[in-house]
Amino acid sequence: MIWLAWRQFRAAALMTAAALGVLAAFLAAGRTSLLDQYERGLALCGQGGTCERFLDRFFDDHQTPFVGVTAVALLLPALVGIFWGAPLVTRELEAGTHLLVWSQSITRTRWLAVKLAFVGAAAAVTGGLGGLLASWWATALDRAAVGFPLMGPLVFAGRGVAPIGYAAFAFALGVTVGLLVRRPLPAMAVTLVLFTAVQIGMPLLVRPHLLAPVHGTFALSPANVDQLMRGPDGAVVVVADGRVPGDPGAWTLSSRIVGPSSLVNVAEPAPGGAVVPVATDTGPCSPRVPVEGPPEQGRDLCLDEANRLGYRQDVTFQPSSRFWALQWYETGIYTVLTLGLVGLCLWLVRRRQF
Amino acid sequence: MTAALQAQDLAKKYGRRWALRDCTLDIPAGRVVGLVGPNGAGKSTLLKLASGQLAPTSGTVTVLGGPPADPAQLSRIGFVAQDTPTYAGLTVADHLRLGARLNPRWDSALARERIDRLGLDPGRKAGRLSGGERAQLALTLGLAKRPELLILDEPVAALDPLARRDFLRGLMEATAEHELSVLLSSHLVSDLERTCDHLIVLTDSRVRLAGEVDELLATHHRLTGPRRDPGRLPADQHVVSARHTDRQSTLIVRTGGPILDPAWSVGRLTMEDLVLAYMEQAAPAPAPVPAARPALAVLR
């Protein structure tokens, strides 16, 4: 039976292996120069204190491949579910060949179990290769990607070991949907819709609660403030950008600016923005104050004043130190879901209703 | 000798539609059984139930003394499904390998010899075979499994007359050689006429007639004579169908005894006449056929 499973899966397996091989070769070739640029850049900027600017530029230069590789790692599990999972049984049902193979001297349960194990293992390996390859290639970029934090929903799901679980789950989902819908194209469509829903639901509803989020209060600084604006009544509006100072890869669940005590009500004219009662016509926040040095320094003076008055950034977040813990948690959850679906598949095929 | 197939009140329902009901059969082993009926009568359903592919909604079916879905029975029952499905992307040789790997009693010499004789190129993909060749490949798989009962669902439906004859001849030879029972369906009586020694007529999801062909032909007669009411025949003569013109009546009756009434001229029936008579009976009658009910009772 393993022979048959392999014989039917051979073409798809070889094609995927070839595609992943080509991708891996490209990434391996590019990775060396990427790491080189990163280390040289960091060494240079360390002397001038301009590392933030270097990281920004470094990431901007490589944003397209970064997004591309992340997208591949994100999409691989879905593709596995659609093109390996959904057709696994429906293609047999469509061609009638299920009746050929089920009339050999092997139970249909065993037939499906072997196919699920064999192709499912290949699916898990494919998903895992996608995630690990992306992690390996993007080590430097993940440290520089401020707009795409490593722990954020988009990047997290395209890194590490969780894609193993995603791919196995997508595959089992495809087979289950196929057994229920029974036709290849509708089964593929339904699989895509359901898998997408689960992948959106996971970071929205489950992942934030897997480990209790960290709560922190941080002084306002260029690391967490996006911009300063002149607000109504001439006061300053400080707009925080939701980053966590000192942990650019963290996943911010909520971020706001709080006043000196809970008694002071902070007006929030814009999302993330807060009115700080500092005059903008005179004093440290006045744009007319002549300042020696670069323009950033005037901004720092203004933030110092806001900090002195007791304004702080209040964040709940998942720190990037939890990356592997959350990765393994999620892999575990998806593995359990996968086993549940496998059980359902075997039960469906045993009922003899085809 | 155990029966090849026994069914007791077997029924299968798809959604709200009965595909088969009240099916009670007892087929002895060693026969070639023809299952005939119009398209949609429930033939495929009965064959899938008999081969263990489907679970019945109610009733029981036993094949070779056990439930067909029993894992121990799988190697004893061969099934060639409708349209003789094969894996389009696999070669002829791959199919034989599949058979060899999935069947403990696989007869690889038989399989290879058949493929050689049919002139099938082992390297050819099944998707590139003609309908007849594909049917032969599927039959080879079914035979080389060395089952005790081989079930074939409309195996010749897609074949041209010559391929049809060759296929049935191949089947007959194999049957004689390996002493297996065969259950074979068709919607054409002519396919079954030369091959079957047992007949089942299935129409409208019910079994109308079942029995040994010789016995059925010996007990059914066509009576032609002056017009008369079929209700006034002797009690042992059951009217299957009746046709009347102004002056003449033509009846098909079933009886164990001789026809003594000299007013009738008695004719023999062919298998086709017999099957058509029972099929007509189930169809919505174009003319009043008062004999329909009693004939049904004969079956019970």
Side-chain angles (χ1 to χ4, degrees), chain A residues 1 3-4 7-8 92 95-97 99-108 351-354, chain B residues 12 52-55 69 74-75 79 81 85-87 89 94 97-98 101-104 141 145:
Chain A
M1 183 55 222
W3 172 80
L4 178 63
R7 181 65 191 78
Q8 288 185 280
E92 304 255 355
T97 45
L99 293 173
L100 174 72
V101 74
W102 292 349
S103 41
Q104 309 304 313
S105 315
I106 172 173
T107 62
R108 59 188 67 193
R351 284 190 317 154
R352 293 191 289 136
Q353 298 296 341
F354 290 94
Chain B
K12 176 72 193 173
Q53 300 287 347
L54 273 181
L74 282 171
S75 64
F79 178 55
T86 50
Y87 287 105
D94 283 335
R97 200 155 167 206
L98 177 156
R101 299 220 166 211
L102 300 186
N103 296 292
L141 277 176
K145 186 186 177 185

Side-chain angles (χ1 to χ4, degrees), chain A residues 255-258 266-275:
Chain A
S255 159
R256 62 195 184 104
I257 293 177
V258 291
V266 179
E268 289 189 20
V275 177

Side-chain angles (χ1 to χ4, degrees), chain B residues 215-216 218-221 223 234-238 253-259:
Chain B
E215 195 191 314
L216 292 176
T219 54
H220 285 78
H221 308 277
L223 308 182
D236 67 335
Q237 297 181 5
H238 303 282
V253 298
R254 178 178 195 168
T255 175
I259 307 287

Side-chain angles (χ1 to χ4, degrees), chain B residues 190-243:
Chain B
S190 53
D191 290 338
L192 304 177
E193 207 150 22
R194 284 183 299 262
T195 48
C196 296
D197 41 33
H198 197 102
L199 183 72
I200 302 168
V201 178
L202 190 68
T203 58
D204 201 16
S205 75
R206 287 171 200 270
V207 175
R208 305 288 163 178
L209 176 72
E212 300 289 314
V213 172
D214 290 344
E215 195 191 314
L216 292 176
L217 291 180
T219 54
H220 285 78
H221 308 277
R222 178 190 283 113
L223 308 182
T224 315
R227 180 170 178 140
R228 71 158 92 171
D229 178 5
R232 290 169 53 201
L233 288 174
D236 67 335
Q237 297 181 5
H238 303 282
V239 179
V240 179
S241 78
R243 214 166 265 170

Side-chain angles (χ1 to χ4, degrees), chain B:
Chain B
M1 201 172 191
T2 53
L5 184 138
Q6 280 176 311
Q8 187 67 50
D9 299 324
L10 188 63
K12 176 72 193 173
K13 203 176 180 181
Y14 290 114
R16 294 165 69 186
R17 196 180 68 83
W18 287 99
L20 184 75
R21 54 177 148 179
D22 303 335
C23 174
T24 298
L25 288 170
D26 189 350
I27 301 171
R31 302 294 198 281
V32 177
V33 184
L35 173 61
V36 66
N39 292 322
K43 300 190 297 292
S44 287
T45 303
L46 174 57
L47 296 185
K48 282 186 186 172
L49 288 165
S51 59
Q53 300 287 347
L54 273 181
T57 306
S58 66
T60 56
V61 57
T62 53
V63 174
L64 307 166
D70 190 334
Q73 293 274 82
L74 282 171
S75 64
R76 304 174 69 201
I77 306 168
F79 178 55
V80 177
Q82 199 164 12
D83 303 326
T84 54
T86 50
Y87 287 105
L90 266 59
T91 63
V92 171
D94 283 335
H95 278 87
L96 298 191
R97 200 155 167 206
L98 177 156
R101 299 220 166 211
L102 300 186
N103 296 292
R105 308 206 299 200
W106 182 256
D107 187 338
S108 67
L110 168 87
R112 246 173 303 137
E113 191 266 331
R114 262 190 73 87
I115 294 297
D116 281 351
R117 191 150 41 89
L118 293 164
L120 291 181
D121 172 8
R124 221 76 168 271
K125 294 220 159 147
R128 298 182 158 262
L129 298 176
S130 72
E133 290 170 326
R134 228 178 35 239
Q136 290 288 13
L137 175 59
L139 176 66
T140 304
L141 277 176
L143 286 172
K145 186 186 177 185
R146 296 303 293 271
E148 291 164 48
L149 170 65
L150 181 58
I151 299 174
L152 304 121
D153 191 358
E154 302 250 10
V156 295
L159 308 190
D160 61 63
L162 199 62
R164 197 172 272 242
R165 198 194 61 191
D166 289 348
F167 181 93
L168 290 172
R169 185 181 290 162
L171 177 65
M172 285 311 100
E173 285 166 13
T175 315
E177 206 174 320
H178 304 298
E179 295 177 338
L180 78 168
S181 311
V182 174
L183 173 54
L184 160 82
S185 78
S186 177
H187 61 276
L188 291 180
V189 186
S190 53
D191 290 338
L192 304 177
E193 207 150 22
R194 284 183 299 262
T195 48
C196 296
D197 41 33
H198 197 102
L199 183 72
I200 302 168
V201 178
L202 190 68
T203 58
D204 201 16
S205 75
R206 287 171 200 270
V207 175
R208 305 288 163 178
L209 176 72
E212 300 289 314
V213 172
D214 290 344
E215 195 191 314
L216 292 176
L217 291 180
T219 54
H220 285 78
H221 308 277
R222 178 190 283 113
L223 308 182
T224 315
R227 180 170 178 140
R228 71 158 92 171
D229 178 5
R232 290 169 53 201
L233 288 174
D236 67 335
Q237 297 181 5
H238 303 282
V239 179
V240 179
S241 78
R243 214 166 265 170
H244 305 280
T245 60
D246 285 347
R247 298 167 58 194
Q248 205 183 40
S249 287
T250 305
L251 308 180
I252 289 179
V253 298
R254 178 178 195 168
T255 175
I259 307 287
L260 300 169
D261 191 334
W264 293 119
S265 75
V266 181
R268 279 188 63 83
L269 293 172
T270 61
M271 195 197 236
E272 182 144 19
D273 297 331
L274 185 67
V275 169
L276 285 177
Y278 278 90
M279 280 200 202
E280 248 174 21
Q281 180 195 51
V289 186
R293 287 292 140 201
L296 261 180
V298 172
L299 293 172
R300 300 265 163 86

